[in-house]
Amino acid sequence: MKAREIRPGIYWVGAIDWDRRLFDELIPLPDGTSYNSYLIQGSEKTALIDAVDPLMEHVLISRLDDLAVKQIDYLVANHAEQDHSGSIPAVLAKYPMAKVICSPRCKGLLIDLLHVPEDRITTVGDKESLSLGDRTLEFIHAAWVHWPETMLTYLREEKILFPCDLFGSHLATSDLYVSDEGRIFEAAKRYYAEIMMPFRTSIEKHLERLKGYKIELIAPSHGPVYNRPTFIIEAYRKWVLDPPENIVVLPYISMHGSTRQMVEYFVEALTNRGVTIKQFDLATVDIGKLAMALVDAATLVVGAPTTLVGPHPKVAYAVFLANVLRPKTRFASIIGSYGWGSQAKEQIINMIPNLKVELLEPVIVKGLPNEEDFKALDALASTIAQKHKSISEAAA
Ligand code: FEO
């Protein structure tokens, strides 16, 4: 397989995983993914930036063979997760002089996760540089995007940033560069929602630091290369920093139709008050789309029938995910119906300690909702509309 030239002496040597449909046996990959690896040839030394998923190490090796690479001096491991590091042992076996370059925290992980020999690893500090002769790599420690050991690599002379997962997108495409920004925006937002959103606070600091670097290309380790870096940097700034929008996210499930009646009424009530609603039936949901909706939403309302006293397990799953994803949501509530008894409300509230939300009065009803219950849903919709207005007024 052929390497693809980005600049003279700089090549993409990654692998495209067209058919993968799950990551971590959890995250849907509707468009597949890629594991990007980049070869940089300097006048004196050659470096490989990140490796690929071990299932595709033969692809990486064949692209290196296409370039007839005789020696790799440095294998930069920006991140220890196996989709980028898993083929490091194969690269080290093929290139016995190669040294792994990584952060101190990454070193321990590579030894534990992959049994990389300690004497093959050299650690680098934040802002430390490494000369390839006429080219220079600078390492920017960037903890918690999304693991603690992560770093970014900056190629000074060409002003190319290799940020590994940061700014990435799960998208299998033969396009080396971004060709359709709308499509990439969706894929990168999905990636941000599923992987990066819990670490918004750390990412905010890293975005601030990156202002000090002139960047002409961003070459992530998933998805195509950004030849207009401001596109993805501005998208990240919006997702991380902007106040939440006038949106309610409503994941729900209904067993016998009562909670569904409440959801349908409530959606109308919110729509009539000018609130955007994103409704997700948890029986068939793509959790990636639910995560994406949480990126911008000001309010999360859970539609929860009761099963065996507590929330329906699929509701509990969605609430668990919302809690670990830590969106910037400001308000939360619960609507739903039960038959003979329920502690669903109390259990759901106890499941969201990570969400810094104001709880709006839930509407929990016995059996089919009646007129009083619909009035309570109207009142909840009015409260939400008012709360959202206060966010937009504060931001104005
Ligand atoms: Fe793409 Fe965190 O690995």
Side-chain angles (χ1 to χ4, degrees):
M1 294 180 190
K2 290 210 167 299
R4 300 178 73 177
E5 189 176 72
I6 293 176
R7 297 271 173 86
I10 303 174
Y11 301 89
W12 175 86
V13 288
I16 301 171
D17 202 341
W18 294 93
D19 299 326
R20 188 164 180 177
R21 285 294 171 266
L22 265 186
F23 200 87
D24 292 345
E25 301 306 322
L26 170 69
I27 296 170
L29 300 178
D31 301 309
T33 190
S34 62
Y35 320 104
N36 298 330
S37 180
Y38 301 93
L39 188 83
I40 304 173
Q41 293 173 325
S43 57
E44 294 173 17
K45 304 284 187 186
T46 296
L48 185 69
I49 309 288
D50 291 325
V52 302
D53 190 279
L55 292 174
M56 304 195 86
E57 68 187 29
H58 59 288
V59 177
L60 169 61
I61 297 295
S62 76
R63 295 197 202 282
L64 293 172
D65 286 344
D66 171 57
L67 292 171
V69 175
K70 293 283 184 299
Q71 181 163 322
I72 288 176
D73 300 285
Y74 306 120
L75 201 179
V76 176
N78 281 319
H79 177 30
E81 194 168 10
Q82 289 90 333
D83 54 324
H84 309 290
S85 67
S87 53
I88 285 176
V91 175
L92 292 183
K94 184 174 171 66
Y95 298 98
M97 301 302 289
K99 283 270 187 195
V100 176
I101 305 294
C102 65
S103 72
R105 288 181 97 165
C106 188
K107 175 179 177 178
L109 284 168
L110 293 177
I111 292 170
D112 290 339
L113 298 179
L114 298 162
H115 296 177
V116 174
E118 188 171 0
D119 62 2
R120 300 290 301 268
I121 303 175
T122 300
T123 61
V124 286
D126 184 35
K127 293 193 72 89
E128 193 172 330
S129 60
L130 182 65
S131 175
L132 305 180
D134 57 350
R135 287 177 157 147
T136 316
L137 301 177
E138 179 179 332
F139 306 105
I140 305 164
H141 284 201
W144 298 113
V145 289
H146 58 124
W147 281 20
E149 86 299 1
T150 320
M151 67 181 193
L152 323 177
T153 297
Y154 180 67
L155 179 57
R156 276 186 194 153
E157 290 75 11
E158 273 78 12
K159 303 179 178 60
I160 302 175
L161 183 71
F162 300 92
C164 197
D165 278 346
L166 186 65
F167 305 129
S169 60
H170 281 313
L171 180 67
T173 171
S174 56
D175 292 343
L176 182 57
Y177 295 97
V178 171
S179 60
D180 178 345
E181 288 189 345
R183 188 173 184 219
I184 297 298
F185 185 89
E186 286 293 300
K189 186 175 185 180
R190 177 184 277 264
Y191 190 88
Y192 168 82
E194 294 165 338
I195 310 285
M196 296 292 169
M197 187 158 64
F199 306 99
R200 272 185 298 127
T201 312
S202 300
I203 292 172
E204 181 178 345
K205 291 181 194 138
H206 302 317
L207 289 175
E208 197 56 36
R209 282 191 78 194
L210 287 178
K211 282 183 179 171
Y213 292 82
K214 190 160 173 43
I215 299 170
E216 292 183 0
L217 282 182
I218 292 180
S221 292
H222 295 291
V225 174
Y226 297 92
N227 46 10
R228 200 172 72 81
T230 50
F231 157 67
I232 192 64
I233 291 172
E234 287 308 311
Y236 260 70
R237 293 188 70 77
K238 170 180 157 48
W239 299 331
V240 169
L241 296 169
D242 279 7
E245 297 175 16
N246 179 25
I247 298 170
V248 169
V249 171
L250 176 52
Y252 82 100
I253 204 158
S254 184
M255 296 187 294
H256 299 294
S258 300
T259 299
R260 187 182 306 280
Q261 276 194 26
M262 298 178 73
V263 165
E264 286 173 358
Y265 187 90
F266 189 56
V267 166
E268 278 291 300
L270 286 167
T271 305
N272 293 339
R273 287 164 176 78
V275 178
T276 298
I277 180 97
K278 295 186 179 178
Q279 174 186 325
F280 296 91
D281 182 351
L282 294 170
T284 55
V285 72
D286 169 348
I287 59 164
K289 287 202 168 180
L290 174 59
M292 284 169 75
L294 287 169
V295 170
D296 308 306
T299 299
L300 169 67
V301 177
V302 180
T306 294
T307 308
L308 299 172
V309 183
H312 188 286
K314 290 193 172 179
V315 172
Y317 175 53
V319 170
F320 177 86
L321 284 176
N323 184 61
V324 296
L325 291 175
R326 297 172 183 255
K328 55 191 175 190
T329 311
R330 303 258 182 98
F331 309 101
S333 192
I334 306 158
I335 64 174
S337 167
Y338 65 93
W340 44 264
S342 179
Q343 291 175 9
K345 179 177 83 174
E346 294 76 9
Q347 291 187 18
I348 289 171
I349 291 168
N350 286 335
M351 289 175 68
I352 52 171
N354 291 343
L355 301 187
K356 306 301 175 207
V357 291
E358 176 186 343
L359 183 70
L360 307 178
E361 186 60 36
V363 182
I364 307 294
V365 312
K366 191 167 193 299
L368 277 173
N370 60 27
E371 283 309 308
E372 287 304 308
D373 302 323
F374 289 127
K375 278 185 191 163
L377 290 172
D378 276 323
L380 178 58
S382 293
T383 302
I384 289 171
Q386 198 166 9
K387 296 281 185 187
H388 287 193
K389 200 169 164 216
S390 67
I391 293 176
S392 57
E393 285 173 353

